[in-house]
C-alpha cells in the first residue's frame, strides 16, 4: 500500500490535510520569527 495514492480515501485525505496544515503553520511561524528578529 503506497503512502501517497492518487485517490486516497476520505480518512487519509483528511489526515494529509491536517499534516499539511501543521507543516504550513510551522513554516509561517518560522518565517515570521526570522522576519521579526533584528
Amino acid at each position: 500500500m503506497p503512502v501517497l495514492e492518487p485517490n486516497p480515501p476520505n480518512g487519509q485525505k483528511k489526515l494529509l490535510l491536517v499534516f499539511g496544515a501543521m507543516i504550513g503553520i510551522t513554516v509561517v511561524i518560522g518565517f515570521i520569527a526570522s522576519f521579526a528578529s533584528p
Side-chain angles (χ1 to χ4, degrees):
M1 183 176 178
V3 178
L4 292 175
E5 298 180 18
N7 293 315
N10 198 18
Q12 189 176 353
K13 188 177 296 183
K14 189 175 184 181
L15 186 69
L16 196 69
L17 189 69
V18 171
F19 194 68
M22 285 172 54
I23 294 177
I25 290 172
T26 304
V27 170
V28 168
I29 290 176
F31 184 76
I32 291 175
S34 62
F35 188 76
S37 63

